[in-house]
C-alpha cells in the first residue's frame, strides 16, 4: 500500500489505466487483491450489473472480504445493495449504503454531503474515511440512502431538462441569454453549477454524464413504479435525455439542451 492523506491506499479499476492515471496509491491487478488487509473498502461503479460483477465475479470482492467495512458509493438502486449486504455478512463484513452528493470540487475539498444506509456501529467503523470525504448522516438501514439518491438525481434531471427547454425558448423569443439564465437560476439556484453548459454551451467538464442520467432515471422509475407512483414528468425527462444520448451521451447532463436545438 501507499500512504495518501494519512491513509494507506490501494486502487483497482476495471480499466487499469484509469487507476494509474490518478497517480496515487498502489494499483492492483484484481479487486480481490486491492482489498487485502484493508479496514475500509470504497467502491464506486456504474450500475447494478457492474456491482454484481465486481463483488461476485471471479477475483471479486466477496471472495476476499474478511471483517471489513464497505462504503458503497455507486448509484445503483437499493435492491443490489441489500443483496450484497447479505452476502458480505457471511464474511463478517458490513456494507454501508453511502451515496455521495456533490460535485468533483466537493470531492477534492472533502465537503461532500454523504447519506448513509447503515447502523450507527457501521458508521463509526468508517468514520475516519467518511470525515475525509465530507459530512455524513444516517437516513435508515441499507437501501434507504440509495432510494434517496434516486429521488435526488431524478429531481436534478427534471430541473435540468426544464432549464434547457426554457433557455432555448427564451432565446427564440428574443430574451437575452444571460437575462434568461439569471431569471431561471433565481428559481433554481442549483443550476448555476451548470452555467458553462446552459449559458456557454461548454459540456466537456463532466460531473454527471448524460448516460448516467438515463441509467439513474431508469432505476428511479422502476423503484417508484413498483410502489404504485405515477411518474409522467420523470418518464418524459428520461426520454429527452435518452434521445440526446446517441450524439451527446458522453457529455455533461446540461447537454440535454441539444435535444431542443436539433
Amino acid at each position: 500500500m501507499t500512504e495518501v492523506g494519512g491513509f494507506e491506499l490501494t486502487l483497482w479499476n476495471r480499466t487499469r489505466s484509469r487507476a494509474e492515471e490518478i497517480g496515487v496509491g498502489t494499483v492492483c491487478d484484481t479487486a480481490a487483491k486491492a482489498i487485502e488487509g484493508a479496514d475500509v473498502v470504497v467502491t464506486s461503479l456504474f450500475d447494478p450489473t457492474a456491482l454484481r460483477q465486481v463483488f461476485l465475479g471471479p477475483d471479486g470482492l466477496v471472495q476476499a472480504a474478511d471483517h471489513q467495512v464497505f462504503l458503497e458509493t455507486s448509484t445503483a438502486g437499493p435492491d443490489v445493495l441489500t443483496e450484497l449486504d447479505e452476502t458480505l455478512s457471511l464474511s463478517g463484513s458490513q456494507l454501508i449504503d453511502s451515496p455521495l452528493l456533490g460535485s468533483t470540487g466537493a470531492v477534492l475539498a472533502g465537503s461532500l454531503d454523504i447519506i448513509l444506509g447503515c447502523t450507527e456501529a457501521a458508521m463509526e467503523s468508517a468514520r475516519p474515511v467518511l470525515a475525509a470525504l465530507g459530512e455524513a448522516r444516517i437516513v435508515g438501514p441499507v437501501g434507504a440512502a440509495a432510494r434517496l439518491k434516486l429521488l435526488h438525481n431524478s429531481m436534478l434531471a427534471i430541473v435540468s431538462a426544464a432549464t434547457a427547454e426554457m433557455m432555448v425558448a427564451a432565446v427564440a423569443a428574443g430574451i437575452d441569454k444571460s437575462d434568461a439564465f439569471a431569471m431561471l437560476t433565481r428559481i433554481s439556484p442549483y443550476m448555476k453549477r451548470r452555467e458553462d453548459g446552459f449559458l456557454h454551451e461548454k459540456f466537456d467538464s463532466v460531473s454527471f454524464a448524460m448516460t448516467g442520467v438515463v441509467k439513474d432515471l431508469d432505476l428511479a422509475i422502476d423503484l417508484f413504479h413498483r410502489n404504485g407512483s405515477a411518474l409522467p414528468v420523470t418518464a418524459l425527462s428520461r426520454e429527452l435525455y435518452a434521445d440526446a444520448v446517441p450524439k451527446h451521451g458522453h457529455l455533461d447532463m446540461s447537454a440535454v439542451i441539444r435535444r431542443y436545438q436539433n
Side-chain angles (χ1 to χ4, degrees):
M1 294 187 183
T2 301
E3 186 168 318
V4 180
F7 298 98
E8 292 291 327
L9 182 66
T10 58
L11 305 175
W12 176 83
N13 191 289
R14 289 179 293 169
T15 304
R16 183 186 175 96
S17 61
R18 293 185 179 179
E20 293 173 336
E21 288 168 4
I22 296 173
V24 299
T26 300
V27 178
C28 295
D29 291 327
T30 67
K33 183 67 175 177
I35 71 169
E36 286 182 3
D39 297 315
V40 178
V41 178
V42 182
T43 56
S44 181
L45 293 148
F46 183 68
D47 60 13
T49 298
L51 272 174
R52 290 188 177 95
Q53 289 173 346
V54 171
F55 275 84
L56 304 174
D59 292 319
L61 298 178
V62 168
Q63 174 181 315
D66 182 17
H67 296 84
Q68 292 156 310
V69 177
F70 287 76
L71 283 177
E72 211 311 287
T73 68
S74 312
T75 304
D79 297 346
V80 67
L81 298 185
T82 302
E83 173 188 334
L84 295 177
D85 181 43
E86 293 173 353
T87 304
L88 286 168
S89 68
L90 299 177
S91 68
S93 298
Q94 304 174 83
L95 183 141
I96 300 179
D97 166 19
S98 48
L100 309 176
L101 306 177
S103 65
T104 304
V107 175
L108 296 174
S111 59
L112 289 166
D113 181 13
I114 311 166
I115 49 176
L116 305 178
C118 66
T119 63
E120 290 281 352
M123 182 176 74
E124 287 304 315
S125 298
R127 186 172 289 281
V129 176
L130 290 167
L133 294 171
E135 294 290 329
R137 59 191 173 92
I138 295 175
V139 297
V142 171
R147 287 190 288 270
L148 266 179
K149 181 65 182 293
L150 291 179
L151 182 73
H152 173 278
N153 284 8
S154 296
M155 190 63 177
L156 174 58
I158 290 167
V159 173
S160 296
T163 301
E165 183 174 295
M166 287 293 98
M167 283 295 296
V168 173
V171 171
I175 299 172
D176 178 80
K177 199 172 186 179
S178 296
D179 289 341
F181 190 70
M183 186 62 66
L184 294 172
T185 54
R186 182 177 183 272
I187 296 170
S188 182
Y190 190 90
M191 288 297 101
K192 290 179 182 178
R193 300 187 183 190
R194 289 189 156 73
E195 179 176 332
D196 280 350
F198 288 124
L199 194 55
H200 306 299
E201 298 194 21
K202 298 178 181 178
F203 310 114
D204 291 330
S205 180
V206 181
S207 60
F208 193 2
M210 300 271 280
T211 52
V213 176
V214 175
K215 178 262 299 182
D216 289 356
L217 288 174
D218 283 341
L219 289 167
I221 289 168
D222 176 66
L223 172 67
F224 297 129
H225 273 172
R226 275 187 279 150
N227 290 279
S229 297
L231 302 168
V233 176
T234 309
L236 177 57
S237 296
R238 188 264 179 206
E239 294 310 310
L240 292 170
Y241 287 97
D243 285 349
V245 159
K247 290 184 179 180
H248 312 296
H250 63 292
L251 300 176
D252 186 73
M253 67 184 303
S254 55
V256 71
I257 198 168
R258 295 295 197 208
R259 170 63 179 77
Y260 293 95
Q261 294 171 329
N262 296 337

